[in-house]
Amino acid sequence: MDRRLFIQQASLFTITLASAKILSACTSNADKSTAAIKEINFGVLSTESQANQKPIWEPFAAAMSQQIGIPIKPFYVTQYAAVIEAMRFGKVQAAWLGGKSYIEAVKIADAEAFAQVVSADGGRGYYSHLITNKDNPITAEAIAAGGDKYVIQNAAKLTFAFNDPNSTSGFLVPSYYIFTKNNIDPKKVFKRLIFTGNHEACALAVANKQVDVATVSNEALSRLENTNPKARQKIEIIWKSPIIPSDPIVYRRDLPNDIKKKLQNFFYNYKDAQVLGQFKISGFVQAEDKNWHTIRELEIAKKIQETQAKENLSEQEKQQTIAELNQQLKEIQ
């Protein structure tokens, strides 16, 4: 082939490819217009099995669909990470997250909080618990010693279950207040350590005597009273955390503004007590990102203590990492 002809064809291909990319970008932007959005997938936290979630979520999603004018489809997941990834790749446009999973979703999934859950008693927070089976021989001693202290002192004899690594009340909060603050690595101290995947599984693992101690939220225990009262009766609380900011409701930042406004109006004004009662909440209020700075502070504090405990880092490396983490703390305080 003639060299000049080859160069001309190559240049034409490059121009055509560039044009195709521009056209694709324009089409992509058009697809984000309000008219192009035919439905919204709403990510549902994996606190319980899907069988238990559906009867609660379907009436709520139907009410949302009716007011917004677009079909809202609950997107059920088995792990917190799944809804974050789905939002990251645009398969989920809005979600009900936990504090820790929200912080992660802000980083990688373009998430923005616009509402916050209000509990049945009007509060804007909830708690993490350590639980054990009432018939477990350790229960009375754990209560007498203080559940967190008992677990620390007897970890080598115990089987222990966390919820999910992206769970606020099922991992971050108990991990920080019980283990990190006492310079303990939970992965190294227990007879056996597992992650069950959700709150309900943690509670049932304790009720069925599959583990000695597990983490769970007070909200999940309250729901268990309805879904499995026999299991709830077998569970004893041995530790209660400081208050945790209640869950955020989020959407992707690139949703059209009028759809964002409709979602806001729905959540700020939805008052169906029968439906909300199934969630053990009274409603939702307006919120912004800074409401969950407490969770960020916990994560950073945990990282600082973990850095200090690392034996494979030089003192200079430790100080540099800690200085960076302290700077992150200053930026959110």
Side-chain angles (χ1 to χ4, degrees):
M1 179 183 291
D2 182 84
R3 185 171 181 272
R4 276 184 285 184
L5 178 60
F6 175 80
I7 292 172
Q8 287 174 350
Q9 289 181 344
S11 299
L12 180 61
F13 176 77
T14 302
I15 293 169
T16 303
L17 182 60
S19 299
K21 287 181 177 179
I22 293 170
L23 180 60
S24 174
C26 292
T27 303
S28 175
N29 288 336
D31 286 344
K32 290 179 181 178
S33 69
T34 303
I37 296 179
K38 304 301 182 184
E39 65 180 29
I40 290 176
N41 285 329
F42 194 98
V44 176
L45 281 172
S46 56
T47 56
E48 301 177 49
S49 66
Q50 186 171 326
N52 283 341
Q53 289 175 328
K54 275 191 171 183
I56 299 173
W57 273 96
E58 288 180 354
F60 186 63
M64 207 186 313
S65 299
Q66 184 176 4
Q67 180 163 329
I68 293 172
I70 299 173
I72 307 292
K73 293 189 175 182
F75 186 90
Y76 302 102
V77 295
T78 56
Q79 294 181 330
Y80 287 76
V83 72
I84 298 172
E85 285 299 298
M87 179 168 274
R88 178 185 180 186
F89 292 106
K91 293 181 179 179
V92 160
Q93 294 77 40
W96 181 331
L97 297 176
K100 187 177 187 301
S101 53
Y102 166 62
I103 300 306
E104 187 65 21
V106 170
K107 294 176 185 175
I108 68 171
D110 207 23
E112 178 182 10
F114 67 93
Q116 184 175 11
V117 172
V118 179
S119 63
D121 63 4
R124 300 185 190 181
Y126 64 111
Y127 301 92
S128 171
H129 290 306
L130 291 185
I131 55 173
T132 188
N133 192 295
K134 289 181 179 179
D135 294 333
N136 192 317
I138 73 167
T139 302
E141 189 176 349
I143 293 173
D148 54 339
K149 295 181 179 64
Y150 179 86
V151 167
I152 290 169
Q153 294 165 2
N154 297 276
K157 307 174 190 175
L158 301 173
T159 54
F160 189 94
F162 280 120
N163 173 350
D164 179 292
N166 281 312
S167 171
T168 306
S169 56
F171 179 71
L172 176 63
V173 169
S175 180
Y176 174 73
Y177 283 108
I178 298 172
F179 302 111
T180 303
K181 290 188 75 172
N182 290 289
N183 296 314
I184 293 172
D185 184 350
K187 295 177 183 177
K188 297 179 179 179
V189 295
F190 286 107
K191 180 180 178 181
R192 181 166 63 97
L193 173 67
I194 64 171
F195 285 83
T196 67
N198 62 54
H199 287 284
E200 182 185 41
C202 266
L204 294 179
V206 165
N208 296 327
K209 299 183 178 179
Q210 294 168 329
V211 296
D212 294 312
V213 182
T215 61
V216 73
S217 72
N218 66 303
E219 297 171 327
L221 285 181
S222 182
R223 285 192 292 271
L224 196 66
E225 291 176 359
N226 293 333
T227 60
N228 196 333
K230 288 184 178 180
R232 177 63 186 91
Q233 290 171 7
K234 297 177 182 179
I235 293 171
E236 187 73 52
I237 296 170
I238 61 172
W239 176 79
K240 177 181 178 181
S241 74
I243 194 167
I244 306 165
S246 61
D247 291 342
I249 309 299
V250 312
Y251 43 46
R252 280 183 56 92
R253 291 181 182 274
D254 59 1
L255 269 181
N257 287 333
D258 65 330
I259 291 181
K260 287 183 179 181
K261 190 66 176 178
K262 289 176 181 178
L263 283 167
Q264 291 171 14
N265 288 337
F266 172 78
F267 278 92
Y268 300 160
N269 297 294
Y270 188 71
K271 304 296 181 186
D272 190 320
Q274 185 173 355
V275 174
L276 293 172
Q278 294 296 311
F279 293 103
K280 301 295 183 182
I281 66 172
S282 61
F284 309 88
V285 292
Q286 187 173 352
E288 52 188 332
D289 179 78
K290 69 180 182 180
N291 292 30
W292 290 274
H293 278 354
T294 299
I295 305 301
R296 291 185 172 95
E297 290 170 1
L298 281 179
E299 284 202 306
I300 293 171
K302 184 172 180 288
K303 287 177 182 177
I304 289 174
Q305 292 192 334
E306 287 173 347
T307 300
Q308 290 171 334
K310 284 184 178 178
E311 297 177 357
N312 61 338
L313 290 181
S314 68
E315 192 60 32
Q316 183 179 354
E317 289 173 321
K318 286 183 181 181
Q319 292 306 316
Q320 181 178 346
T321 301
I322 291 170
E324 292 170 356
L325 291 168
N326 279 323
Q327 181 59 38
Q328 292 177 26
L329 270 178
K330 287 181 182 178
E331 289 173 0
I332 63 174
Q333 288 174 343

